[in-house]
Each structure stands twice: as C-alpha cells, then as structure tokens.
Amino acid sequence: MRIATYTANGETFFGAITDEGAVALNSEFAEFKSLYEVVAAGAFGQLIKAAEGKPVTHTDFTFEMVMPDVRRILCVGVNFPDRNAEYKDGSAQPKYMSLFPRFASGFTGHNRPLIRPPENHTLDYEGEVAIVIGKAGRRISQDDAYGHIAALTLCNEGTIRDWVRHAKFNVTQGKNWDNSGAIGPWLVPFTDAAQLDGAHIQTHVNGELRQDDTLNRMMFPIRREIEYISTFMTLQPGDIIVTGTPTGAGARFDPPKYLAPGDVVEISVDGIGTLRNTIEDEQI
C-alpha cells in the first residue's frame, strides 16, 4: 500500500496510489485536514484499511511532499563510515550522532523540481530513507524502537553546501532553502523489520550511479537513532526522522559535482520506491 498527498484540479487530497491512479480518501476521513493529521491522530492503519478495494478517483494528479504540514523533521548527519572518511579530517567514528532540524518548506514532492537559488549554486543531493513515527514515546529502548514506526518514505536531503559553512556550530541555513529537497513519493506502511534491516539505497544523477549502500552499515542504526532522540524529546506520531546518507554526494568529488538545471536525481530503495526530481533555477 502506498499513501500520498497529491493535488488534482486545484484541490489537495490524501489517499492511496495504485498502478491505475490515485484513490482520494479525504471524504472518509473528513475530520482530518491532511495526511499528517491522520498519522498524528494514530489513524494511519485505519486509512490503509479504508483504501483497500476502492476505485481510482484521479488519473491526472501531481505529487506533493508527503506531509506538507509536518511539524518536526529531524535529520541524522554523517551516518555512514565512508561519509565520515569523506571529510578527510582524520576523525574517528563519533560517539554521538549529529542532528539538525529541517522544515517542511524546504521540501517538495516526487517528480517536482528542486530549486537552485540565485544566491548560491552549490545545490547538492543526499539520498536517504526517512521514517515516520506512529506511536509516541520517551526514552524508547532499541528493542522497542521499531514498534514506534508507522511508515517509511524516501528523502532527497538537498543542501546548499556553501551555506552550511556560514557558522561554526550549525548547518541549518544550508539545509532549509525553500524547495531544495524532496520527501516522497508516498508513505509505505512499516510492517517488517526487514524493510529497514535489509534496505539497499541507490542514488542516480542523470543515470549515473552516485550513491550505493545498505542501511545495515550505518554507524548509528535506526533503532539507536530512535533511542537517542527520544531520550531528550518525546517523539510524537507524525514526526519524521531522516536517517542518514551514504558516501557519494556531489560535494565530495574533485571537482565537486553540484546539481544544475536539467539534471535528474533518482533515489531508490526496493520495497519503498523511487523518488525522482529535476533541477530548476529559482525565478525571481
């Protein structure tokens, strides 16, 4: 089952995506204004059941960021051993994970353009798996962590590289340019640990394989991410954790391979799907 947010005929809908088209479920869940509200209310399972066997309502539609009104997005940085080595600073594997926030305004949807701003052209890609919390929790143990995940999706954690270097202790301003990244195409229900433990992620740029790794090589596995984050904040249904990108981002090539208008970036994980985005310059 694939659950998405999309627009059609000037209206926004949430519902299931099939090979034939989209199945709007707004009318059956009229108490919720968005997919985020469905997940936050703990009704994601009900939504999935309601989608079964329903006829297609739209065949011409545009994907939006999966939860455009999501309140909290937390990203894990430098989470693969080869990524740590890419920095060439001689540092050992860190004891604690790096974290930073992103906001919904920084993301667009599947098959939509990532926007390169005129102020800086170091737009880069980062292919990642993102998890959506479905059950609230504080100080969650690693043994219980997977029980708090409702769904999986994909993220292109697009970054303006020069702007992450504007300050000593944060990367926020380089990570939150409007529509610089994407999350989608849809949410896939999380029902089996193998969906994460066996996940293989690849990123292609213009058909060239740039990132290729498995999540079981993460320095901080997703169970540990949930445990650590929930130590200092209560995780709530609807929260998104972007779990980390493998080696191969454009900034680490010599010379760097930043994204330019006309480029196509595709991030794929078996069992979740493919997130595809083009690149366009901002029109001002």
Side-chain angles (χ1 to χ4, degrees):
M1 185 68 68
R2 300 170 290 183
I3 304 295
T5 299
Y6 65 92
T7 54
N9 302 317
E11 295 184 65
T12 301
F13 300 89
F14 57 84
I17 305 298
T18 72
D19 291 342
E20 289 73 39
V23 181
L25 296 171
N26 301 57
S27 60
E28 293 191 43
F29 292 81
E31 66 270 37
F32 303 118
K33 296 179 180 178
S34 66
L35 179 55
Y36 169 74
E37 289 192 3
V38 172
V39 177
F44 187 62
Q46 298 172 40
L47 186 75
I48 294 167
K49 290 180 180 179
E52 295 175 358
K54 290 287 193 304
V56 165
T57 57
H58 299 95
T59 56
D60 185 9
F61 59 92
T62 300
F63 284 99
E64 300 294 331
M65 191 274 221
V66 284
M67 297 193 296
D69 55 340
V70 60
R71 294 182 181 178
R72 303 196 297 190
I73 304 170
L74 205 56
C75 302
V76 181
V78 195
N79 195 22
F80 283 78
D82 297 335
R83 277 280 287 150
N84 192 56
E86 277 183 326
Y87 282 81
K88 299 179 181 179
D89 58 3
S91 64
Q93 178 173 324
K95 182 177 180 181
Y96 299 110
M97 66 190 73
S98 297
L99 298 171
F100 56 89
R102 283 199 65 151
F103 310 108
S105 58
F107 293 105
T108 187
H110 172 62
N111 272 337
R112 306 284 290 275
L114 307 187
I115 302 302
R116 189 177 72 165
E119 289 85 356
N120 193 279
H121 285 174
T122 59
L123 175 61
D124 205 354
Y125 56 88
E126 292 187 6
E128 307 186 43
V129 170
I131 62 171
V132 178
I133 297 299
K135 176 183 174 184
R138 180 81 190 278
R139 299 184 177 92
I140 301 166
S141 71
Q142 292 191 49
D143 287 344
D144 295 334
Y146 277 4
H148 289 260
I149 301 174
L152 308 178
T153 188
L154 298 175
C155 178
N156 185 342
E157 214 258 293
T159 302
I160 303 298
R161 291 293 179 198
D162 280 354
W163 277 62
V164 300
R165 306 182 183 99
H166 277 192
K168 187 174 183 179
F169 294 117
N170 73 80
V171 297
T172 302
Q173 55 271 58
K175 293 287 189 175
N176 281 290
W177 287 78
D178 286 354
N179 298 310
S180 57
I183 297 181
W186 41 62
L187 301 183
V188 173
F190 181 66
T191 58
D192 190 327
Q195 289 173 271
L196 290 175
D197 294 345
H200 179 196
I201 187 167
Q202 293 186 321
T203 301
H204 289 82
V205 180
N206 301 327
E208 177 189 359
L209 182 62
R210 296 278 186 88
Q211 295 182 295
D212 187 9
D213 218 323
T214 54
L215 268 58
N216 60 13
R217 295 186 65 248
M218 285 179 166
M219 294 188 294
F220 301 101
I222 292 169
R223 294 180 189 271
R224 172 57 178 154
E225 294 176 9
I226 292 172
E227 176 189 52
Y228 182 73
I229 294 168
S230 70
T231 303
F232 64 85
M233 62 185 276
T234 302
L235 286 172
Q236 299 287 356
D239 288 347
I240 294 177
I241 300 174
V242 182
T243 60
T245 193
T247 186
R252 302 304 164 187
F253 287 88
D254 186 15
K257 296 182 178 181
Y258 295 122
L259 297 172
D263 286 347
V264 177
V265 184
E266 295 173 301
I267 298 160
S268 302
V269 175
D270 287 345
I272 302 179
T274 296
L275 173 63
R276 180 186 184 276
N277 296 96
T278 55
I279 311 301
E280 291 183 5
D281 274 337
E282 182 178 355
Q283 302 299 312
I284 57 173

